[in-house]
Amino acid sequence: MHAGVVDERAFGLHAGAAGALDAAQWAQEPPMRIGHGFDIHRIAPHGDTKVGGPFTIGGVVFADFELGIVAHSDGDVIYHSVVDSIFGALTLPDIGQFFPDTDPRWKGAASDVFMQEAYRQMDQRGYRVGNIDVTLIAQAPRMILRDHPLATAERPFDHKRAMIDNLAALLQCPTNRINVKARTHEKVDAVGEKRAISCHVVTVIERKP
């Protein structure tokens, strides 16, 4: 399913948008494009009526975490930021215009749907992932756990590896094209006080051979 709600003409995405520039200058898509995405969501105890489903980041569910994400959809900040970075690279409208939070179709929706639309748009334009660099900013939950059942003395369990696998699967690219980093906010402001979670993403897309 794709959004099908964006009229490209309404955003100047038509042949005449280049103004006086010669059309031949714009005849070919560039070999590479770069986009940036950012997302932030409030987080609150599960008793809050605005909290939807389980706490999900990068497609990984933190079922035992005591807080939930306040959002119209599932509020996955990594997926939302990646989607916006791809839309930005393609000079498309932002995720909120593709999937408005006033549209009941997206209430509680898994953000996989948004990722699938971002991939469809990218593929349709003849691009694929060059590389994606994710920076998750969250005071909690912890991404690396030494006390996880799958951790070993030599190698703690790292949730980010599963996030990379999820992103690669949805965007149909090798895992070595994706990096996920995580940091706290040093207990500063809403993110540092565990009242919010945020994410930045930079994406490079390249022309398919």
Side-chain angles (χ1 to χ4, degrees):
M1 176 194 299
H2 60 85
V5 296
V6 174
D7 181 353
E8 293 187 347
R9 293 169 299 178
F11 299 97
L13 305 176
H14 57 277
L21 292 172
D22 190 292
Q25 294 178 269
W26 304 100
Q28 299 294 325
E29 291 269 25
M32 182 184 300
R33 288 174 170 268
I34 300 173
H36 172 261
F38 171 75
D39 195 30
I40 185 168
H41 282 289
R42 188 166 68 86
I43 58 180
H46 286 289
D48 190 311
T49 56
K50 294 183 180 179
V51 170
F55 199 97
T56 305
I57 311 172
V60 174
V61 177
F62 293 81
D64 297 330
F65 189 52
E66 69 271 18
L67 300 174
I69 298 176
V70 177
H72 185 65
S73 65
D74 65 4
D76 190 321
V77 292
I78 288 184
Y79 280 8
H80 292 186
S81 299
V82 169
V83 169
D84 242 4
S85 70
I86 293 172
F87 286 168
L90 293 168
T91 62
L92 291 172
D94 61 63
I95 188 173
Q97 290 171 278
F98 268 88
F99 304 99
D101 61 9
T102 55
D103 191 330
R105 287 183 296 169
W106 316 124
K107 177 66 175 175
S111 294
D112 298 43
V113 175
F114 311 152
M115 290 283 290
Q116 289 161 4
E117 175 65 8
Y119 175 79
R120 189 187 74 84
Q121 294 282 348
M122 178 174 62
D123 183 62
Q124 182 176 271
R125 288 274 290 277
Y127 286 94
R128 66 184 184 184
V129 170
N131 73 286
I132 293 177
D133 188 29
V134 175
T135 303
L136 174 69
I137 309 170
Q139 201 67 33
R142 290 184 299 154
M143 294 296 111
I144 298 178
L145 302 172
R146 298 189 179 279
D147 56 353
H148 192 278
L150 298 179
T152 66
E154 298 78 23
R155 190 179 189 189
F157 182 81
D158 190 348
H159 285 293
K160 300 192 300 297
R161 286 195 288 268
M163 296 174 186
I164 290 170
D165 289 341
N166 292 339
L167 289 165
L170 285 164
L171 297 174
Q172 301 185 34
C173 69
T175 56
N176 64 9
R177 298 293 183 102
I178 297 175
N179 186 42
V180 176
K181 312 185 301 294
R183 56 158 298 156
T184 70
H185 212 242
E186 302 295 338
K187 299 183 179 180
V188 175
D189 297 335
V191 174
E193 294 169 359
K194 294 194 283 189
R195 295 186 288 112
I197 184 171
S198 66
C199 182
H200 287 271
V201 172
V202 175
T203 292
V204 174
I205 57 175
E206 61 188 22
R207 292 290 288 172
K208 292 186 289 186

